[in-house]
């Protein structure tokens, strides 16, 4: 204590007020009272100027220490309050994920389930696994080389028009894009098998694809395909046709037939389009199949030797077939969904049916 001013008492008083403060608002108020411009400590500091030098030095030191102590007490209490308030806020906003609200979709007995497209992908995988295929996946963002070049579609090839592409980056060192089909996964698999020395290949590759297609009853801009690739010794077109036929009856049932029609794909030779009986009109003709009675499910053919060359497989030693078809299209046929856009509208009444 110096002179008439009891600095220790001021600090004790401040400590009491600081400890009693219980919220951000209160501590702000207390801070103004105990250390603001009008506080007793600030006023005492201002009065130092009129004191004689010896007394000023002594009181000045005491006041400096007192103000430092008060600031430290304030800061420590502020952080305690901040922590307590944040904890209370977090406890109040905690989500109880186990809570059952009667009458809502999330209640027991009405738990969510896989989307129809995911169910269809799983069912297709099951059929192919049953036929001896394994399942692989590849990236959705591809380079020009994987999506086109390695598949025998060089830049400016007219066949690029078959796939209206979303490009992410155009140009050097290479364009990147959202894959327009699952065929680039064939290239990844063959490259890897050559690298690891693990030929033959018997794989299916499901995944999401992107095209600048205008959505309609049979098309979406984001859709799904499943690719198939067999590379082995002595594989013929008859193996391909047999695989397609076995798949069609196993997946759609005995009353749905398949047919292959000559077609062109740069990465297969010969190539075919693979169609199945329209399950909506059972072949009679309807809006979904454009009155033809058939729905195109995908493309297929024998792996073109140019594709083998691009991944370093000896086409004199190995042959293979590939196919790729729409998963959404399969879901549509299997469940007689007249308009594919229903799959992406997220109408819970529609989705709950599957
Ligand atoms: C291809 O994409 C070839 N990669 C298929 C292939 C693979 C041929 C291996 C030969 C060897 P295509 O563009 O025809 O071919 O598409 C194949 C199938 O994908 C179509 O028949 C259809 O079932 C589905 N599909 C294509 N575009 C869409 C779309 N916009 N919306 C929904 N499904 C689509």
């Amino acid at each position: 204590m110096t002179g008439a001013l009891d600095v220790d008492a001021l600090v004790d008083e401040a400590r009491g007020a600081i400890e009693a403060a219980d919220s951000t608002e209160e501590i702000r108020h207390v801070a103004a009272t105990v250390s603001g411009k009008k506080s007793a400590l600030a006023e005492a500091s201002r009065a130092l100027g009129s004191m004689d030098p010896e007394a000023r030095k002594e009181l000045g030191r005491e006041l400096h220490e007192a103000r430092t102590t008060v600031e430290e007490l304030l800061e420590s209490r502020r952080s305690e309050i901040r922590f307590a308030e944040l904890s209370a806020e977090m406890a109040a906003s905690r989500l109880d994920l186990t809570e059952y609200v009667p009458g809502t979709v999330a209640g027991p007995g009405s738990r969510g389930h896989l989307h129809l497209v995911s169910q269809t992908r799983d069912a297709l995988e099951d059929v192919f696994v049953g036929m001896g295929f394994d399942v692989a996946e590849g990236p959705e963002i591809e380079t020009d080389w994987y999506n086109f070049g390695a598949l025998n579609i060089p830049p400016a090839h007219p066949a690029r028009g078959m796939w209206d592409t979303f490009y992410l980056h155009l140009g050097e060192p290479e364009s990147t894009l959202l894959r327009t089909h699952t065929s680039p996964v064939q290239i990844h698999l063959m490259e890897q098998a050559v690298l690891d020395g693990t030929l033959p290949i018997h794989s299916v590759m499901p995944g999401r694809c992107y095209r600048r297609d205008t959505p309609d009853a049979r098309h979406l801009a984001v859709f799904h395909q499943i690719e198939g690739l067999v590379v082995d010794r002595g594989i013929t077109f008859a193996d391909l046709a047999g695989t397609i036929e076995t798949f069609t009856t196993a997946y759609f049932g005995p009353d749905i037939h398949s047919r292959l029609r000559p077609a062109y794909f740069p990465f297969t030779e010969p190539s075919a389009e693979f169609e199945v009986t329209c399950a909506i009109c059972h072949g009679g003709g309807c809006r979904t199949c454009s009155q033809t009675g058939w729905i195109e499910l995908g493309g297929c053919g024998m792996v073109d030797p140019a594709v083998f060359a691009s991944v370093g497989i000896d086409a004199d030693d190995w042959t293979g077939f590939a196919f790729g078809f729409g998963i959404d299209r399969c879901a549509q046929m299997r469940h007689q969904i007249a308009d594919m856009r229903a799959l992406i509208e997220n109408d819970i009444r529609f989705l709950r049916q599957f």
Side-chain angles (χ1 to χ4, degrees):
M1 173 184 162
T2 306
L5 185 64
D6 188 342
V7 177
D8 292 341
L10 284 180
V11 172
D12 285 345
E13 204 179 304
R15 179 181 284 113
I18 291 168
E19 280 170 5
D22 232 3
S23 66
T24 303
E25 195 47 46
E26 279 177 38
I27 195 73
R28 193 175 295 137
H29 182 72
V30 169
T33 315
V34 301
S35 83
K37 279 188 198 144
K38 291 186 183 151
S39 65
L41 286 172
E43 270 169 19
S45 298
R46 277 196 292 278
L48 285 173
S50 57
M51 297 176 75
D52 70 77
E54 207 40 49
R56 181 196 308 161
K57 197 171 158 197
E58 172 70 2
L59 183 60
R61 189 184 52 73
E62 272 188 54
L63 284 173
H64 175 71
E65 277 172 16
R67 295 187 77 167
T68 308
T69 308
V70 168
E71 283 310 325
E72 282 170 4
L73 289 169
L74 276 170
E75 193 40 50
S76 134
R77 187 67 190 134
R78 271 194 205 105
S79 75
E80 282 170 10
I81 289 173
R82 258 200 308 273
F83 180 75
E85 288 184 344
L86 196 65
S87 305
E89 203 178 302
M90 282 167 68
S93 62
R94 190 174 145 264
L95 260 186
D96 181 0
L97 297 176
T98 64
E99 187 177 17
Y100 165 48
V101 183
T104 62
V105 178
S110 59
R111 290 166 61 188
H113 60 71
L114 289 181
H115 189 278
L116 176 58
V117 173
S118 305
Q119 293 180 39
T120 307
R121 183 202 55 215
D122 290 354
L124 292 170
E125 281 179 18
D126 285 350
V127 170
F128 283 111
V129 167
M131 291 165 70
F133 286 79
D134 52 40
V135 180
E137 280 184 10
E140 290 177 24
I141 294 178
E142 279 294 7
T143 59
D144 199 271
W145 166 253
Y146 282 98
N147 198 78
F148 293 122
L151 289 163
N152 197 25
I153 321 170
H157 190 288
R160 287 202 180 201
M162 291 165 77
W163 297 278
D164 213 348
T165 309
F166 286 112
Y167 282 92
L168 299 174
H169 165 77
L170 264 180
E172 298 303 322
E174 233 207 319
S175 299
T176 48
L177 46 85
L178 294 174
R179 68 177 176 197
T180 57
H181 50 178
T182 42
S183 298
V185 191
Q186 288 185 35
I187 303 298
H188 289 289
L189 281 195
M190 287 191 276
E191 278 183 342
Q192 198 61 46
V194 168
L195 214 61
D196 301 343
T198 52
L199 284 173
I201 296 170
H202 303 86
S203 296
V204 288
M205 301 143 254
R208 198 177 287 138
C209 304
Y210 305 80
R211 286 187 201 176
R212 295 174 51 161
D213 283 347
T214 306
D216 63 22
R218 283 175 300 165
H219 296 90
L220 300 173
V222 181
F223 61 100
H224 304 77
Q225 286 187 341
I226 184 162
E227 191 84 6
L229 176 69
V230 169
V231 179
D232 209 335
R233 292 192 166 91
I235 296 292
T236 67
F237 199 89
D239 296 310
L240 167 61
T243 302
I244 298 281
E245 184 56 27
T246 308
F247 157 75
T248 304
T249 39
Y251 181 72
F252 290 105
D255 54 337
I256 299 290
H257 303 289
S258 68
R259 69 176 187 186
L260 297 181
R261 294 201 315 161
Y264 169 72
F265 293 101
F267 33 93
T268 45
E269 179 59 36
S271 303
E273 234 160 44
F274 147 39
E275 296 183 333
V276 296
T277 317
C278 177
I280 296 176
C281 60
H282 289 275
C286 67
R287 180 169 73 94
T288 307
C289 63
S290 308
Q291 312 302 331
T292 62
W294 292 92
I295 288 280
E296 176 206 314
L297 213 54
C300 60
M302 301 305 289
V303 180
D304 193 295
V307 175
F308 278 150
S310 69
V311 293
I313 291 181
D314 181 357
D316 288 333
D317 199 8
W318 301 90
T319 49
F321 67 74
F323 57 83
F325 56 87
I327 296 180
D328 318 77
R329 200 66 70 81
C330 283
Q332 182 174 28
M333 283 303 102
R334 172 95 174 246
H335 299 282
Q336 297 163 27
I337 298 162
D339 195 317
M340 193 184 277
R341 287 169 290 195
L343 293 173
I344 56 165
E345 277 164 358
N346 287 336
D347 183 335
I348 201 83
R349 293 164 302 179
F350 169 79
L351 294 173
R352 265 191 191 152
Q353 299 174 71
F354 310 102

